[in-house]
Amino acid sequence: DIQVTQSPSTLSASVGDRVTITCRATQSIGPYLAWYQQKPGKAPKLLIYQASRIEGGVPSRFSGSGSGTEFTLSISSLQPADFATYYCQQYHNYPWTFGQGTKVDVK
Amino acid sequence: EEQLVQSGAEVKKPGDSLKISCQGSGYFFPNRWVVWVRQMPGKGLELVGIIYPDDSDTTYSPSFEGQVTISADRSSSTAYLQWSSLRASDTAMYYCARLRGSRPDVFDVWGQGTMVIVSS
């Protein structure tokens, strides 16, 4: 299986901060990486697909980049609604696998 | 509105059987892949398996092969996840989700989750 590792596991930030989360895959996955946001007690929500394509309805402060084995999710100016846990997911090889998650909390 | 609605929370004993459901609406359910995803308490997301409701073509993740059964009924637009003999380690939230397009693709619509608690 392809493993994906996120860093950091926890990120403490303030409203207005620029935030960056990294995801690394154990082998090349091309652009087949997605990012999801999950809030407590809720299902995950798709934010980014194909590494950099933003899902409809997702605020433009979210962006994704990368290809191959290294990817990033950035939030340009953190808003109160953005405090949540973020997961990357590779869908290049089955079984599709998720990173362990990055919790963004209040500094 | 395209949505997936899951059955309610379950509390079971070890050794019990269980079948939970995921009903789609607002789109043509048979020709969109459906996945099941496990989230153990305080942990991350794990893919259980995937099914194509039109012909019930199913693929399990290796960790779940033989542990669960995924099925679907295209006539009722419903996918199922079932266990024949639950273990305490099956305690988790289980989500169904829809693949946006053909395999491989991302999960664009999610159910609200079904909490399964297995305890003696």
Side-chain angles (χ1 to χ4, degrees), chain A residues 81-104:
Chain A
D82 303 336
F83 292 101
T85 299
Y86 294 85
Y87 293 94
C88 61
Q89 179 226 342
Q90 68 82 18
Y91 54 107
H92 179 68
N93 277 12
Y94 193 87
W96 307 320
T97 46
F98 294 88
Q100 81 279 15
T102 295
K103 184 178 182 180
V104 177

Side-chain angles (χ1 to χ4, degrees), chain A residues 38-44, chain B residues 6-10 18 20 36-48 64 81 83 88-96 110-118:
Chain A
Q38 187 179 33
K39 296 183 178 180
K42 299 294 187 181
Chain B
Q6 297 184 230
S7 50
E10 302 276 359
L18 176 65
I20 63 175
W36 285 96
V37 175
R38 182 177 78 175
Q39 188 168 38
M40 299 177 77
K43 301 298 184 182
L45 304 167
E46 303 170 90
L47 180 67
V48 176
F64 293 91
L81 177 64
W83 296 260
S89 58
D90 293 318
T91 294
M93 180 72 83
Y94 292 86
Y95 294 101
C96 63
W110 291 70
Q112 82 278 19
T114 296
M115 186 69 209
V116 174
I117 297 172
V118 184

Side-chain angles (χ1 to χ4, degrees), chain A residues 16-52:
Chain A
D17 285 353
R18 180 177 180 84
V19 166
T20 299
I21 300 168
T22 298
C23 182
R24 291 185 174 88
T26 52
Q27 64 188 75
S28 177
I29 57 173
Y32 296 107
L33 187 103
W35 292 95
Y36 298 85
Q37 176 193 66
Q38 187 179 33
K39 296 183 178 180
K42 299 294 187 181
K45 172 188 173 183
L46 177 65
L47 299 177
I48 302 285
Y49 63 99
Q50 268 187 47
S52 61

Side-chain angles (χ1 to χ4, degrees), chain A residues 57-86:
Chain A
V58 173
S60 59
R61 62 181 178 272
F62 290 91
S63 64
S65 65
S67 182
T69 61
E70 188 155 337
F71 303 83
T72 59
L73 172 71
S74 296
I75 309 172
S76 60
S77 178
L78 195 68
Q79 298 302 301
D82 303 336
F83 292 101
T85 299
Y86 294 85

